[in-house]
């Protein structure tokens, strides 16, 4: 099945990069470089998903998204933004988007997230505010983490790491994916920073006597899963 995607991005280099990758993957791509044109296209043409830059001329991404939702247009939306704080991500998610990806990003991750929201079957779903795996539950709004009745205290980087693993649940997550998605590195600094943080997170998530959720896949990376 060929999906039709609306890309609203004012940076020509970024837009060309995304559009080229999507077309190579078999998508049909419509483009706009400002919020007003993006809103017009989103209301006039049937799209399976929208990739929306947050900072746009004419009408910013959040205003465009609000206008879409007010018009009962529930096309799934992925926000792209250089604003990477947890508060900004929460604003994006609670403002009506289906996902929020910070810049710079790897195209492979954008593609994976796009395919995930397309698999969900389109709009009509509430913004995601909770993530879970087995008896592990994460509230993205309050940033509270629990496993069963046990409350788990995480440092900001540990929380971001767990968030990433949960969003890629049952998938093998590579070292490169973690460096790009959690640390915003687009190179390998040659340290064991990932191993250290995974080890700390595992000690907090998988206490003795509990079925392990964080698994090391030798030679490949890590996977968060009930299945092992």
């Amino acid at each position: 099945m060929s999906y039709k995607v609306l890309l609203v991005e004012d940076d020509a280099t970024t837009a060309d990069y995304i559009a080229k990758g999507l077309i190579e993957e078999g998508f049909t791509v419509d483009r706009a470089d400002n919020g007003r044109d993006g809103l017009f296209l989103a209301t006039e043409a049937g799209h399976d998903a929208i990739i929306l830059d947050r900072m746009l001329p004419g009408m910013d991404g959040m205003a465009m998204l609000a206008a879409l939702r007010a018009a009962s247009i529930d096309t799934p939306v992925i926000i792209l933004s250089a604003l990477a704080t947890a508060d900004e991500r929460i604003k994006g998610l609670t403002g009506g988007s289906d996902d929020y990806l910070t810049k710079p990003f790897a195209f492979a991750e954008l593609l994976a997230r796009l395919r995930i929201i397309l698999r969900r079957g389109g709009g009509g779903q509430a913004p995601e505010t909770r993530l879970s795996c087995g008896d592990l539950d994460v509230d993205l709004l309050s940033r509270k983490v629990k496993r069963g009745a046990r409350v788990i205290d995480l440092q900001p980087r540990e929380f971001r790491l767990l968030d990433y693993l949960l969003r890629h649940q049952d998938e093998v997550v590579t070292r490169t994916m973690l460096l790009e998605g959690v640390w915003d590195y687009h190179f390998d600094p040659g340290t064991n920073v990932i191993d250290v943080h995974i080890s700390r997170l595992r000690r907090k998530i998988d206490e003795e006597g509990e079925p392990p959720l964080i698994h090391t896949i030798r030679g490949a990376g890590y996977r968060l899963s009930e299945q092992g």
Side-chain angles (χ1 to χ4, degrees):
M1 177 179 180
S2 177
Y3 290 105
K4 186 176 182 181
V5 174
L6 173 61
L7 171 61
V8 189
E9 167 63 67
D10 65 318
D11 182 81
T13 301
T14 301
D16 288 345
Y17 166 69
I18 295 172
K20 180 176 182 292
L22 290 176
I23 291 168
E24 288 176 350
E25 292 292 329
F27 291 85
T28 299
V29 181
D30 287 339
R31 291 172 57 169
D33 61 6
N34 65 81
R36 295 191 185 281
D37 288 348
L39 181 60
F40 174 79
L41 287 174
T43 57
E44 292 296 317
H47 295 97
D48 298 295
I50 299 171
I51 299 173
L52 176 63
D53 185 32
R54 182 158 181 172
M55 308 299 287
L56 291 167
M59 170 186 285
D60 71 26
M62 292 305 297
M64 177 182 155
L65 178 58
L68 287 174
R69 297 312 188 223
S72 299
I73 296 172
D74 57 5
T75 308
V77 173
I78 299 177
I79 288 180
L80 304 179
S81 178
L83 304 175
T85 66
D87 285 345
E88 293 298 338
R89 295 199 305 273
I90 290 169
K91 287 178 184 177
L93 291 168
T94 57
S97 74
D98 296 78
D99 205 346
Y100 189 106
L101 182 59
T102 58
K103 297 179 178 180
F105 57 87
F107 176 76
E109 181 175 3
L110 172 61
L111 181 62
R113 292 183 181 223
L114 177 60
R115 284 175 169 159
I116 287 169
I117 67 169
L118 288 170
R119 283 202 302 269
R120 290 175 187 162
Q125 299 200 11
E128 194 170 34
T129 60
R130 305 187 81 91
L131 297 171
S132 63
C133 177
D135 59 353
L136 175 67
D137 181 77
V138 177
D139 187 321
L140 298 176
L141 299 182
S142 68
R143 298 176 68 82
K144 289 182 179 178
V145 180
K146 296 178 67 177
R147 183 157 187 190
R150 179 168 62 88
V151 177
I152 302 171
D153 182 32
L154 297 182
Q155 296 299 313
R157 185 71 70 177
E158 293 169 342
F159 185 90
R160 189 171 177 184
L161 177 57
L162 179 60
D163 181 318
Y164 190 91
L165 291 171
L166 280 164
R167 291 182 187 278
H168 294 80
Q169 189 173 156
D170 297 321
E171 301 174 17
V172 176
V173 176
T174 67
R175 180 185 182 86
T176 299
M177 290 171 67
L178 290 172
L179 285 170
E180 292 183 341
V182 179
W183 277 267
D184 296 323
Y185 290 165
H186 292 271
F187 62 95
D188 190 335
T191 70
N192 65 343
V193 61
I194 291 176
D195 304 318
V196 169
H197 278 80
I198 286 285
S199 178
R200 290 175 179 169
L201 182 62
R202 180 182 273 134
R203 286 199 297 268
K204 293 182 178 183
I205 298 299
D206 296 334
E207 286 198 340
E208 187 175 354
E210 295 176 330
L213 296 177
I214 299 176
H215 309 277
T216 300
I217 309 303
R218 189 175 299 276
Y222 302 95
R223 181 173 61 222
L224 189 140
S225 174
E226 291 185 88
Q227 307 303 317

